[in-house]
Amino acid sequence: MKVLITRPRAQSESFGEALRTAGFEPIYFPVIEIHPIEENVALERALSKLDRYEWIVFTSVNAVDIVALSGELAKSKGNEGVKVAAVGPSTADALRKYNIEPDFIPEEYVAEAILPGLGDLRGKWVLLPRAEMARKELPEAIFHAGGVPHEIVVYKTLPAQPDLDGLDALKQGVDVVTFTSASTVQNFSAIVKQNGLDPLHLPNDPVFACIGPVTEQAAREEGFSKLVIANEYTADGLIKIIESLNR
């Protein structure tokens, strides 16, 4: 089966190799690009005063790469400072690349599931380095638990220029399109429309495989109905759900 990968190319290689190992043909068609916020004064100030925070919560690999590069987080952890939470195994692995072991990883890989693991948050500050279009459920939940959420935008997701080989493959027909975030759903729809295709009536009538319920909701809002959802909200979970398809 031909499986279209829509995540940024820099994050697609391991996923593509895993798909190939599982017997699928990966087609690279990145629809988003990650752009860190330049001269991010708010982030610099927060990292210079990490001892004021009880937790720093990472919900994406992108945020980890941007924050951890400063080195301040590793120093704080070295002094047993701020505690670190990671939503999902990929985010946790990204922290480990910087020699930072997460203090908490929720069993369910969605932001809301992390709150019980943060303990009593009354009067405590929680740093949330996030994407510009991040969902509000997590900071609102922290606020209602008595905590002080401090959101800082550390990166934007922008539409990518379409990969011509991927676009040709899509026009010829693929079996599965993978979505790994709400922004991949939205930008996929926009890009294929701009290139003369109807995202809801693509050649070969592909299945749309979503990494989790948030992405699924975004797909439904875009009008996609032929959906399958990974039981485990990871790239491995996506491969397992694709393996279960009988096409």
Side-chain angles (χ1 to χ4, degrees), residues 207-219:
V207 172
F208 297 90
C210 301
I211 201 167
V214 175
T215 304
E216 174 197 8
Q217 180 62 31

Side-chain angles (χ1 to χ4, degrees), residues 96-107:
R96 293 182 183 114
K97 285 194 309 183
Y98 298 95
N99 297 316
I100 300 168
E101 183 62 30
D103 297 284
F104 175 62
I105 306 169
E107 292 185 2

Side-chain angles (χ1 to χ4, degrees), residues 2 4 25 27 164-174 203:
K2 295 181 179 179
L4 198 78
E25 179 183 349
I27 308 292
L164 296 181
D165 290 338
L167 185 60
D168 284 343
L170 190 59
K171 289 179 176 178
Q172 292 172 22
V174 299

Side-chain angles (χ1 to χ4, degrees), residues 120-137:
D120 184 359
L121 291 178
R122 287 175 292 183
K124 296 175 181 175
W125 285 68
V126 180
L127 181 58
L128 302 169
R130 314 187 79 195
E132 184 179 43
M133 300 298 289
R135 299 164 68 235
K136 294 299 181 182
E137 281 77 359

Side-chain angles (χ1 to χ4, degrees), residues 102-156:
D103 297 284
F104 175 62
I105 306 169
E107 292 185 2
E108 190 177 2
Y109 308 142
V110 294
E112 295 86 334
I114 204 168
L115 194 63
L118 302 185
D120 184 359
L121 291 178
R122 287 175 292 183
K124 296 175 181 175
W125 285 68
V126 180
L127 181 58
L128 302 169
R130 314 187 79 195
E132 184 179 43
M133 300 298 289
R135 299 164 68 235
K136 294 299 181 182
E137 281 77 359
L138 180 58
E140 288 175 355
I142 291 171
F143 175 77
H144 289 301
V148 184
H150 186 194
E151 284 187 277
I152 297 179
V153 175
V154 298
Y155 67 94
K156 299 179 180 179

